[in-house]
Amino acid sequence: MKAFTFGLILGLLAIPVAGFLFFKFGKPPVATADPSLPFERQIVSVPLEVRIHREMPGSVPVSADAAAYGAGAAIYQSQCVACHGLPDRPSSFAPNMFPRAPQLFERHGDHVGVSDDEAGETYWKVANGIRLSGMPSYKKVLTEKELWQVTLLLANADKLPPEVQKQLTTPAQLINSAGTKNVRDVAR
Ligand code: HEC
């Protein structure tokens, strides 16, 4: 029994000691370019998904029409494009972020970007951001309506009308056809 207790205590002590040695003398993955730890992605994304599904709004208060897409495209151009790219124009540095920034106009199967996610989930991510990633929280940058407009653009990225597609990839047109706001106002 004594030997067992001694072994148990030794075993329990070994865990923090090993952790200390790893962080002090090992090469913990602190650089963006480092490979991930085993299960790192799963450990971070499970609590995130749980929290989002608890808090995300169930209904969408702004209608998904041409005006919302136009305003959403203007917001996307001024706030999101550097990390999340455009149709056929992915961000150059996004793959070198950790976690990498997904390309929100990239087609996968029947979907484009996050068009397969519920709008409420995307709204939550844009409003609150994702901690320990490059994804900012926009609730103090955009108004409630603007958060929904850019959300609707992304939620419908697989079926945007051609004029919105064109607006996204034509910066000069953007300022004239942005609807309620121009790029400079949005970026205030
Ligand atoms: C500085 C870079 C950066 C900017 C700017 C940025 N994001 Fe992100 N975003 C990220 C990163 C990195 C992730 C991935 C986070 C993760 O995987 O945990 C992300 C994730 C997301 C996701 C979730 C994607 C998925 O697959 O679930 C959405 C939606 C999103 N961003 C929307 C936006 C919108 C809308 C804007 C502009 C209003 C924006 N982001 C601006 C870096 C950025």
Side-chain angles (χ1 to χ4, degrees):
M1 185 63 196
K2 248 192 201 150
F4 172 77
T5 315
F6 181 70
L8 187 72
I9 292 170
L10 209 66
L12 288 176
L13 279 176
I15 299 166
V17 169
F20 173 79
L21 291 176
F22 174 65
F23 284 108
K24 183 91 181 156
F25 302 108
K27 205 178 163 204
V30 289
T32 301
D34 285 342
S36 42
L37 286 169
F39 305 112
E40 183 170 336
R41 195 72 207 132
Q42 289 83 339
I43 290 167
V44 178
S45 65
V46 168
L48 179 70
E49 293 301 316
V50 170
R51 167 98 188 264
I52 291 175
H53 282 97
R54 203 169 50 214
E55 292 184 359
M56 69 186 213
S59 61
V60 181
V62 173
S63 53
D65 53 22
Y69 296 151
I75 297 160
Y76 188 86
Q77 279 275 12
S78 76
Q79 299 286 335
C80 327
V81 85
C83 290
H84 291 298
L86 286 169
D88 300 322
R89 275 191 240 163
S91 154
S92 58
F93 60 79
N96 302 312
M97 294 177 74
F98 190 98
R100 60 173 201 86
Q103 297 308 287
L104 299 177
F105 285 97
E106 201 169 77
R107 179 166 284 282
H108 53 102
D110 290 343
H111 298 286
V112 173
V114 290
S115 69
D116 50 340
D117 285 347
E118 279 180 62
E121 176 171 345
T122 295
Y123 168 88
W124 191 99
K125 289 175 178 169
V126 181
N128 296 293
I130 301 173
R131 208 172 170 103
L132 300 182
S133 87
M135 178 58 199
S137 156
Y138 281 97
K139 64 178 157 204
K140 293 193 178 142
V141 179
L142 302 174
T143 64
E144 187 66 13
K145 190 172 175 194
E146 289 166 340
L147 288 170
W148 279 111
Q149 287 166 332
V150 75
T151 295
L152 286 172
L153 176 85
L154 298 177
N156 297 290
D158 56 341
K159 46 180 174 293
L160 290 174
E163 58 278 13
V164 179
Q165 302 259 12
K166 196 163 167 221
Q167 183 190 339
L168 272 169
T169 47
T170 316
Q173 271 201 343
L174 178 74
I175 293 166
N176 305 326
S177 59
T180 51
K181 291 204 159 197
N182 75 27
V183 176
R184 272 180 301 276
D185 290 340
V186 172
R188 71 184 172 267

